């Protein structure tokens, strides 16, 4: 670039307060400032206030890949006295996929108190966590006899994902391979 072209390219001066504000905004985006909404949801998931806890669990369903720091509170939610919190905990776990593996035994322990909708999401979670769901084999065998074909399907699918540790389910899976629902038969 020659000196004549350089003269044509003039930069306007920017006042210092504007530049300082611009830099502050850029730094806050790069470094982050304060807690994020997800951080607040994770904090609220441990709340003793059922409404706050419910809202946090439901909110975390939008960010399941970021919910792992709240896994203990989510697991505790499975045995909460509030049915809706149990449901929200199970639904969130189903969306967390493999990150829900630490919750396998908590789901088995909470199984008896769980209603049908909560059990449905627990079954989906067992399938997502694969061999970590081995403690659930007895629950999954029982679920192969559920009235709801979706529950039977997710039970058969989970048993298939568990692998060799699901061998006690061989006879029940053989029976499920003759289920009236095609998707259950295919999963078995």
């Amino acid at each position: 670039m020659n000196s004549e072209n350089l003269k044509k390219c003039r930069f306007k001066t920017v006042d210092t307060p504007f530049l300082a504000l611009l830099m502050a905004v850029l730094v806050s985006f790069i470094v982050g400032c304060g807690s994020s909404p997800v951080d607040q949801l994770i904090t609220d998931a441990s709340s003793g206030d059922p409404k706050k806890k419910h809202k946090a669990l439901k909110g975390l369903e939008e960010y399941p890949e970021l919910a792992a720091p709240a896994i203990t509170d989510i697991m505790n939610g499975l045995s909460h006295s509030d049915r809706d919190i149990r449901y929200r905990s199970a639904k969130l776990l189903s969306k967390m996929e493999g990150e829900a593996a630490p919750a396998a035994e908590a789901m088995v322990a909470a199984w008896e108190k769980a209603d049908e909708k909560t059990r449905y999401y627990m079954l989906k979670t067992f399938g997502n966590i694969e061999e970590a769901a081995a403690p659930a084999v007895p629950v999954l065998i029982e679920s192969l006899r559920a009235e709801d074909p979706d529950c039977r399907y997710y039970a058969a699918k989970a048993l298939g994902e568990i692998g060799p540790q699901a061998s006690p389910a061989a006879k029940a899976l053989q029976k499920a391979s003759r289920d009236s629902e095609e998707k259950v038969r295919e999963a078995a």
Side-chain angles (χ1 to χ4, degrees):
M1 187 177 262
N2 65 33
S3 62
E4 201 169 302
N5 286 341
L6 246 172
K7 289 178 184 175
K8 291 179 186 175
C9 295
R10 293 196 173 172
F11 295 101
K12 293 185 178 181
T13 58
V14 178
D15 65 359
T16 307
F18 175 77
L19 188 58
L21 177 63
L22 181 61
M23 290 303 292
V25 169
L26 287 173
V27 167
S28 71
F29 279 116
I30 294 169
V31 176
C33 64
S35 64
S36 74
V38 174
D39 292 336
Q40 189 60 54
L41 292 171
I42 289 169
T43 298
D44 291 350
S46 65
S47 175
D49 176 0
K51 287 182 182 179
K52 194 176 210 180
K53 185 174 189 77
H54 180 273
K55 185 177 178 181
L57 293 168
K58 186 173 182 175
L60 284 169
E61 288 175 27
E62 297 297 319
Y63 309 98
E65 69 283 356
L66 302 174
I71 191 72
T72 301
D73 296 310
I74 299 165
M75 290 177 355
N76 290 340
L78 292 168
S79 57
H80 197 277
S81 60
D82 185 311
R83 178 180 52 87
D84 292 333
I85 290 175
R86 293 192 303 265
Y87 168 78
R88 283 287 161 207
S89 296
K91 188 171 183 181
L92 175 55
L93 287 168
S94 75
K95 292 181 175 200
M96 290 174 65
E97 301 199 4
E99 295 291 323
E105 290 185 19
M107 288 188 292
V108 171
W111 185 261
E112 290 304 316
K113 282 187 175 180
D115 62 20
E116 189 174 321
K117 291 189 307 184
T118 302
R119 286 181 175 191
Y120 168 82
Y121 285 109
M122 288 178 173
L123 290 169
K124 286 182 82 169
T125 305
F126 288 136
N128 291 339
I129 63 175
E130 301 173 349
E131 56 274 344
V137 168
V139 163
L140 295 168
I141 292 170
E142 171 191 327
S143 297
L144 288 172
R145 297 186 302 268
E147 211 172 292
D148 182 351
D150 288 332
C151 288
R152 295 193 310 270
Y153 165 75
Y154 283 113
K157 183 176 181 259
L159 287 164
E161 296 294 334
I162 292 170
Q165 295 176 339
S167 61
K171 191 180 267 188
L173 281 168
Q174 189 175 33
K175 185 175 180 182
S177 69
R178 296 184 300 275
D179 194 277
S180 61
E181 294 288 326
E182 181 179 356
K183 68 181 179 180
V184 176
R185 291 192 304 269
E186 288 176 4

